[in-house]
Amino acid sequence: MRISGEEQSRREAFEIALWAEGRPELSIEELAKLGLGADDGHDQEKGVGNTYGGDDSGMPGLGPLAPFGSWQSVAATIMRKTADSARFDQLSTVFDLYRWIVFGNQFTTMPFLVDVTGDSRSVSISSLSLAPAISAVTELVGGLVTPDTLTGIVNSIKKIGQLAVENKGLREKNSNVHQGVLTVVNGDLRLGRLQTTVQMEYKTGKGYQQLNQRLTVSRFFGRLDYGLCLRNSEILLAWDRQDVHDWAKGTSSSPYPPNTSPAWGN
């Protein structure tokens, strides 16, 4: 039995509404049962960066979504809603494990994406060399983004690195990194994220340095479903609109210059 167009639209709207509502708050008792507590973030921090780019290939007309001004801003609004629905503050360096997990789940269940892909790379880095981490990022996203976007991603990651260096904390800390990505390739608008955690140690006179360690860089990417967005334009227009330029600037690492440590090239 075939589903009518009206029934499809009703189901889509219901799925979007459930997703946008986010996950319910858990009580202190429920968090405790999961092994989560108020002190989980005492030796943790988070660093967030966003970047966008792409080629000049054509995309469909915006139609009823014209008030957004561009498909990139439609996508940025969806990315912003993903964070808001998880109550994930992209401007804060305070790490909340529960919010980190919920945000990741909201990202991977985003109803606006098709052709999704997710995997990871594990590499070893040292106090003298971050190059393997950049190589892992290049391997994971090099075939999904344009060269200018890849350059922007690396630059943004270095900004997060500078944030981690300057953000004072304990002698040892874990810097949890989230990198958001928007890119246009051959008419497709791709939304993605990169995540990893870097262990760091404060050394007197030298500041924070990454420890010798093995880390995993994970990615999740998908293609924006233009048709679904157009069919559900009323829902999208009711959300707080996010200009793509403001989305890129609305992170904790945005005000920082890229870290210039020679370790990036070794």
Side-chain angles (χ1 to χ4, degrees):
M1 181 176 178
R2 295 183 61 185
I3 298 176
S4 67
E6 182 179 351
E7 176 65 14
Q8 180 188 14
S9 296
R10 191 172 73 90
R11 292 188 181 190
E12 288 175 353
F14 186 54
E15 182 182 5
I16 293 169
L18 285 178
W19 172 82
E21 185 67 22
R23 299 297 182 269
E25 293 285 347
L26 296 182
S27 67
I28 294 176
E29 292 76 15
E30 290 171 319
L31 288 172
K33 288 179 181 179
L34 295 172
L36 301 174
D39 62 343
D40 282 323
H42 77 281
D43 59 351
Q44 311 276 337
E45 67 179 16
K46 77 173 188 284
V48 179
N50 289 330
T51 192
Y52 69 96
D55 57 30
D56 296 324
S57 54
M59 290 180 281
L62 284 165
L65 294 173
F68 282 95
S70 70
W71 276 108
Q72 289 90 332
S73 290
V74 173
T77 298
I78 293 171
M79 294 283 255
R80 168 71 178 273
K81 189 67 174 180
T82 304
D84 288 351
S85 66
R87 299 174 181 83
F88 183 84
D89 187 352
Q90 299 185 84
L91 288 169
S92 172
T93 59
V94 175
F95 180 76
D96 182 326
L97 178 58
Y98 178 61
R99 290 290 157 215
W100 182 265
I101 293 171
V102 172
F103 178 52
N105 188 69
Q106 287 296 94
F107 209 105
T108 56
T109 58
M110 198 186 299
F112 299 93
L113 300 184
V114 293
D115 299 334
V116 298
T117 181
D119 55 7
S120 61
R121 294 285 187 279
S122 292
V123 295
S124 295
I125 64 171
S126 71
S127 59
L128 299 177
S129 179
L130 283 163
I134 297 302
S135 295
V137 168
T138 301
E139 289 178 13
L140 286 168
V141 304
L144 294 172
V145 304
T146 55
D148 76 301
T149 306
L150 179 58
T151 298
I153 291 170
V154 172
N155 191 59
S156 184
I157 289 173
K158 290 181 179 180
K159 283 176 171 255
I160 297 173
Q162 187 64 27
L163 167 65
V165 167
E166 295 190 25
N167 193 41
K168 303 301 182 185
L170 300 178
R171 189 178 69 84
E172 292 187 3
K173 65 180 182 180
N174 289 330
S175 181
N176 299 277
V177 176
H178 168 83
Q179 175 65 52
V181 182
L182 294 178
T183 186
V184 180
V185 182
N186 297 328
D188 291 335
L189 180 46
R190 298 171 183 173
L191 288 66
R193 69 165 190 182
L194 291 160
Q195 288 189 331
T196 192
T197 299
V198 182
Q199 297 174 307
M200 304 188 75
E201 181 180 32
Y202 186 83
K203 295 184 178 180
T204 303
K206 295 183 179 180
Y208 279 105
Q209 295 181 325
Q210 67 275 7
L211 299 172
N212 297 344
Q213 63 194 277
R214 190 161 183 82
L215 57 80
T216 298
V217 181
S218 63
R219 73 166 178 182
F220 182 88
F221 268 74
R223 176 171 58 83
L224 187 67
D225 187 334
Y226 297 125
L228 186 144
C229 291
L230 291 168
R231 289 192 297 273
N232 294 279
S233 58
E234 290 186 10
I235 295 175
L236 291 170
L237 288 166
W239 293 349
D240 291 335
R241 272 173 243 160
Q242 177 77 81
D243 177 81
V244 67
H245 305 286
D246 294 335
W247 171 78
K249 294 177 181 177
T251 68
S252 56
S253 68
S254 179
Y256 288 83
N259 182 263
T260 57
S261 168
W264 296 105
N266 297 325

